[in-house]
Amino acid sequence: MHTHATEAYAQNPDDPYPESGTARTTDPSHSIIRVGDEITRIFTEMGLNVIHDTTLYDYPSYNEAYTRSRAGIEAILAQHPTIQVVLDVHRDALVGSGGEIYKMVTTEAGQKVAQVMMVLGTDASGADHPRWKDNLAFALRLQKNLIRGYTSLARPTVLRRGRYNQHLSPGAILVEVGGHGNTLSEAIAGGRLWADSVARTLLDMKE
């Protein structure tokens, strides 16, 4: 799922998208939803059951997107109580002090791919999140295998004060695939490699 589903990547002159905001679009073929489609495809092909929620929780209003996505997650978990992993897939946005847009890109197997970062919430803000260390342990297991499999696909895992709805599941992670300086093709490629590694880890954990 995508709390900020309209997040998009760098404009491609040969395949432009209509903007709903800076580096944002309601066109799912050019937004982070397209990356989610690729992650879903890899998971499904590897035998995992997946629900891809493509609701635009951040449109038309960006404010309270996490409140709306929380309701969406709770509804899906109520309908499918056996779900063990909730991935909130985003793209990052790194801008320098002079307005420079940074691009998180590396090369894996001769292909340019967007780097991927996992973000974990905590209870540091005072919000109730008693099992945040379970989320962290899960993410670190995924990160360990990512580092084993790829030279520099994974950016460092980050801990933050907010909880990002991760209190709803002990297998909840926020995932940043590239940033708005990356191309969509780089993001799709990075998401594909990340999903392949994560799927293999999940299948190992089922055994």
Side-chain angles (χ1 to χ4, degrees):
M1 53 80 59
H2 314 272
T3 295
H4 298 150
T6 66
E7 290 178 331
Y9 294 89
Q11 283 280 13
N12 180 352
D14 297 324
D15 185 23
Y17 59 81
E19 291 190 327
S20 59
T22 302
R24 295 182 181 276
T25 184
T26 58
D27 178 356
S29 68
H30 287 82
S31 71
I32 191 63
I33 291 174
R34 175 64 185 86
V35 178
D37 287 339
E38 187 69 8
I39 292 172
T40 299
R41 182 183 71 81
I42 296 298
F43 283 172
T44 302
E45 288 181 356
M46 296 186 71
L48 298 173
N49 295 319
V50 184
I51 295 172
H52 184 196
D53 180 7
T54 59
T55 305
L56 303 184
Y57 292 113
D58 62 337
Y59 186 85
S61 173
Y62 184 84
N63 294 334
E64 304 301 322
Y66 276 100
T67 300
R68 290 189 290 274
S69 67
R70 174 180 176 174
I73 295 168
E74 288 175 332
I76 292 173
L77 291 177
Q79 188 175 0
H80 304 276
T82 59
I83 289 176
Q84 296 178 318
V85 176
V86 177
L87 301 175
D88 190 358
V89 183
H90 296 244
R91 65 106 177 99
D92 207 350
L94 294 181
V95 181
S97 58
E100 308 91 347
I101 296 176
Y102 292 110
K103 182 173 180 174
M104 283 72 75
V105 66
T106 188
T107 300
E108 296 287 355
Q111 181 182 23
K112 284 188 176 181
V113 303
Q115 293 176 302
V116 182
M117 177 176 71
M118 290 182 286
V119 178
L120 280 299
T122 67
D123 57 3
S125 67
D128 185 48
H129 192 0
R131 298 181 65 186
W132 69 266
K133 291 182 181 178
D134 292 335
N135 299 69
L136 176 60
F138 174 53
L140 292 179
R141 183 164 181 173
L142 300 182
Q143 184 83 340
K144 181 179 179 180
N145 287 338
L146 283 165
I147 293 171
R148 281 179 178 171
Y150 299 104
T151 305
S152 53
L153 174 66
R155 295 167 62 195
T157 297
V158 173
L159 279 178
R160 291 187 178 155
R161 291 176 60 84
R163 63 182 182 177
Y164 305 107
N165 292 330
Q166 292 173 7
H167 62 296
L168 300 177
S169 169
I173 297 174
L174 190 155
V175 185
E176 303 269 16
V177 183
H180 67 319
N182 288 96
T183 65
L184 177 61
S185 61
E186 290 167 348
I188 292 171
R192 182 185 305 124
L193 296 183
W194 183 84
D196 179 80
S197 176
V198 168
R200 293 177 191 277
T201 303
L202 292 175
L203 291 170
D204 285 344
M205 291 172 69
K206 288 176 65 176
E207 294 179 355

